[in-house]
Amino acid sequence: MPQALEKTIRIPRSFGDVEVRGSTANETDRTVEVVWSTGAAVKRRSWDEGEYMEELSMEPKAIRMARFKSGMSLLDSHDNWSMAARLGTVVPGSVKVEGGKGTALVKFSRSELAETIFRDLLDGHPVQISVGYKVHKYVKTEAGEKSLPTFRATDWEPMELSVVPIPADAGSHSRSDAASEEESYEVIVSGDEATFAARAAYTTEIPMNKREAAKTLKGKELDALSLGAGLARNANETDDQLSARLLAHYDAEDKQRADAEATKKREADEAARREAEAEAAKRAAEGGQAATSTPAGGLTAEQVAEQVRSATTAEKKRAKEIRDLARSAGFKDDDDFVRSAVDGDQTIEVFRSEMLNKLIEKEQKSPTFPHSETRGMRDSQETTQKLIANAMMHRHGLTDKLEDGASQYREMSLVDVARDLLVARGESGRGSNVDILRRSLHSTSDFPIILGDITRQTMMQAYTLEQEQNTFQLIASRNVMPDLREVKVLEMGNGPELEELTEKGEYKRGTIRESAEGFTMSHYGKVIGLTERMIINDQLGAFAKVIANWGRVVARLEGNIVWSIVLDNAKLKSDNKALFHADHGNLAGSGTALDETNLIAGRTAFRKQKDIDGQQISLAPTYLFVGTDLEVPAQKLIQGVTVPHTVAEVVPQAIRSLKPVYESRIDRLPNKPWFLFATPQATLGRGLQYSYLSGYETPRTMERWGFDYDGVEYRLDHYFGAGLTDFRFAYKNPGN
């Protein structure tokens, strides 16, 4: 039985990418949701262990959450020396660890820099955030001779979040900022004798053919093999998918190698041809004979010239791709390893792998946060995705604005886009339309990302436009809840009022209790598919109309849920009486017409409402809600005549201060009823309330391109609920 052992190693400070979910930005609350960790495996180095794979355990017991609970800081570029660098905080209670992901709400302060960054976020500019964390304990696992050892952090602590110019890039296979020796710290590593002994025998040689290894290895061994080829596992990518992508990568490498060898052979043939021509010309001159018109090798001059042109074009393309990739990572054309790659026969894939190793070396030597090298590659890919999405939306009439640089993609069909993206990834663009689509949907192509972006934009545009018609937001209070538990409020009587103390100095207590009223949210959803047939037939526009209707349906659903509480006269739990009830003093005894006298009666009923201690609260209505038949009469009644000639024609200020609002849903009630409502601010948020789930304040979509469906399936999720917490905010006249 191996003996359990522990030892201490020293590692640099650690940082990782944070996903900023820009669509969750809330301008009123100044918050946005972030994913601060997924625990994905990342290649790292330390002075004591060399290279290894680091995993962060996402089990709640493995994460020290104390700093989150006390309001963890959001800093400027990991600057923890001054309060001037604090841009905001993590909202306490918003942190969750579910499904292997850690999420939280970040609230921006009102400092000048924080305001600038938050406005950029609202305007659609990506904001990059990095998490600083400290590992207290690793569990080390040796995977044998076929991969790097794995260090799984079973006790680690998020320290702070920072807005940074450039985040850590998974492509560099490092979470470390390569801090100086003074910024490093000690970590306990546990394992057994065999594990620690295995390090001495570690070798990077894989005792099998690389293709056989790609088909055979699983899990972390497959990750290590892929990293050696310059590939990293994508989020939610299975072993089979990664294996297929790795084999395709090997195919591309072999093809490039074969092309390079063919180019060499053509160049050798050309040299031989020229030498033969020169020799023939020499003999002709010496012997008075004409030189043969057929070059060496049995090729005509035209064929040889075409081969030379093809080889020259391929070589220029290879050299350009290497230089462009190097520049995007911050290297110069005259750097030794760049010049060597261009002058030699190095393929673009081999150069990419070597370049990533160079980036890691630079990180180990840099005393500051070193991620600017990866900016160009990431920005270029994201920019291309956005331009293609914009071009496709403009082509199908989903947006009026065509962005600069998007016109080159506008006339391309969806299949053309999929083929172009495959070629840009270094994969073959040959094959039938079905083959192109299936490879695009199941590979590392950006095609599914672009389709998802178009879907989300289309749905959110329709949702936002329809939500502007939702009148309930004028009279109901908004909540964002961290979970699906019942929403409760407090009832307060004379709590805030001060009373004179008696000679004994006794304080009287106000009345505060938890309300019996409350409501819960429900989960709504639907699945719809974009089939291969629709993509091949370029029917994105027709599909987008269905998606847009999704957005409108969600907004209408919210309105129907909230207004059903008012129109169906829902009961309150505290007294089991309807919202509008004679005992509540907010229901006209008999329905009457909408006129000045009856409006004054309704306002008077508002003014006479009392709190739970029986004290008059002097509320005043702000909105007059009517249906279709009373829309124009309500406006005329409140506005009155333009120039009154008699005292009777003057509209009282109490009436003129009302705001008439048309709501079509009121039409489903008989007898032309009308309603008076106070604002949520006047009632301190009590009365009619609605709620969203944190992180799902707007409808969210997920996509799946799977084995059992020919195309892409999209799932819509929305969490929403509404209910009553008081009756004093409203008045109803049933009409006549």
Side-chain angles (χ1 to χ4, degrees), residues 7-11 135-138 185-189:
K7 69 176 183 179
T8 301
I9 66 171
R10 179 170 291 275
I11 67 172
V135 178
H136 297 279
K137 186 174 182 178
Y138 284 124
Y185 59 94
E186 293 182 343
V187 181
I188 296 175
V189 181

Side-chain angles (χ1 to χ4, degrees), residues 47-328:
W47 292 271
D48 297 328
E49 289 293 316
E51 294 185 345
Y52 58 92
M53 299 298 296
E54 181 194 65
E55 287 185 353
L56 300 178
S57 172
M58 293 307 296
E59 296 180 7
K61 64 181 180 181
I63 309 172
R64 301 189 184 187
M65 307 288 282
R67 294 182 185 271
F68 278 126
K69 295 177 182 178
S70 59
M72 179 185 290
S73 293
L74 176 67
L75 302 178
D76 176 16
S77 303
H78 301 290
D79 182 0
N80 58 4
W81 292 100
S82 169
M83 284 297 292
R86 192 171 78 163
L87 304 176
T89 56
V90 175
V91 177
S94 69
V95 180
K96 294 184 291 186
V97 178
E98 296 177 349
K101 287 187 176 182
T103 61
L105 276 183
V106 172
K107 184 178 181 69
F108 285 81
S109 72
R110 295 189 182 275
S111 68
E112 182 177 352
L113 179 56
E115 179 65 22
T116 300
I117 294 172
F118 189 61
R119 295 312 308 178
D120 283 347
L121 179 65
L122 295 176
D123 291 340
H125 299 292
V127 173
Q128 311 293 356
I129 295 183
S130 172
V131 59
Y133 62 93
K134 182 177 182 179
V135 178
H136 297 279
K137 186 174 182 178
Y138 284 124
V139 173
K140 179 181 178 182
T141 303
E142 281 287 352
E145 299 180 348
K146 302 175 184 178
S147 64
L148 297 175
T150 298
F151 282 61
R152 181 173 177 80
T154 57
D155 181 5
W156 63 284
E157 180 180 12
M159 304 292 286
E160 46 83 13
L161 300 180
S162 281
V163 178
V164 294
I166 309 298
D169 186 356
S172 67
H173 313 311
S174 176
R175 284 194 181 98
S176 172
D177 73 340
S180 63
E181 181 68 30
E182 288 73 25
E183 293 179 281
S184 62
Y185 59 94
E186 293 182 343
V187 181
I188 296 175
V189 181
S190 66
D192 53 48
E193 293 176 343
T195 296
F196 291 137
R199 183 64 186 174
Y202 173 74
T203 175
T204 57
E205 294 294 330
I206 300 178
M208 64 176 74
N209 178 276
K210 64 180 182 180
R211 293 181 180 279
E212 181 183 350
K215 297 175 183 178
T216 305
L217 299 180
K218 302 294 182 183
K220 301 200 172 35
E221 293 183 348
L222 183 59
D223 285 338
L225 181 65
S226 300
L227 288 174
L231 303 178
R233 187 187 293 267
N234 296 323
N236 301 322
E237 188 173 27
T238 65
D239 285 343
D240 289 342
Q241 291 170 335
L242 179 57
S243 176
R245 189 156 60 93
L246 185 56
L247 289 171
H249 172 77
Y250 289 151
D251 288 341
E253 274 190 341
D254 292 346
K255 183 178 183 302
Q256 289 179 336
R257 190 176 297 108
D259 290 344
E261 292 176 356
T263 299
K264 277 186 175 181
K265 185 177 185 304
R266 284 194 297 269
E267 291 174 348
D269 290 343
E270 172 66 8
R273 182 187 69 80
R274 291 181 182 276
E275 183 179 351
E277 285 182 340
E279 181 64 25
K282 180 180 179 181
R283 287 198 303 269
E286 292 176 349
Q289 301 175 358
T292 179
S293 61
T294 303
L299 298 176
T300 66
E302 291 77 10
Q303 290 174 327
V304 172
E306 178 60 30
Q307 289 182 354
V308 172
R309 282 194 295 270
S310 298
T312 303
T313 301
E315 175 59 20
K316 288 181 178 179
K317 180 181 178 182
R318 183 190 68 86
K320 182 179 183 301
E321 289 178 347
I322 288 176
R323 291 192 181 98
D324 289 345
L325 185 59
R327 290 168 189 160
S328 70

Side-chain angles (χ1 to χ4, degrees), residues 440-459:
S440 295
L441 293 175
H442 292 269
S443 73
T444 59
S445 167
D446 297 330
F447 191 60
I449 298 175
I450 293 169
L451 291 179
D453 188 25
I454 293 173
T455 300
R456 281 184 287 274
Q457 287 190 55
T458 303
M459 184 191 66

Side-chain angles (χ1 to χ4, degrees), residues 81 96 200 207-208 223-224 230 253 297 319 349 375 388 443 464 492 527 560 593 615-616 618 621 703 717 725:
W81 292 100
K96 294 184 291 186
M208 64 176 74
D223 285 338
E253 274 190 341
E349 294 299 330
R375 181 174 191 171
I388 293 177
S443 73
T464 302
M492 181 176 292
V527 175
N560 292 340
Q615 300 296 316
Q616 192 165 324
S618 299
E703 59 265 1
D717 288 283
T725 55

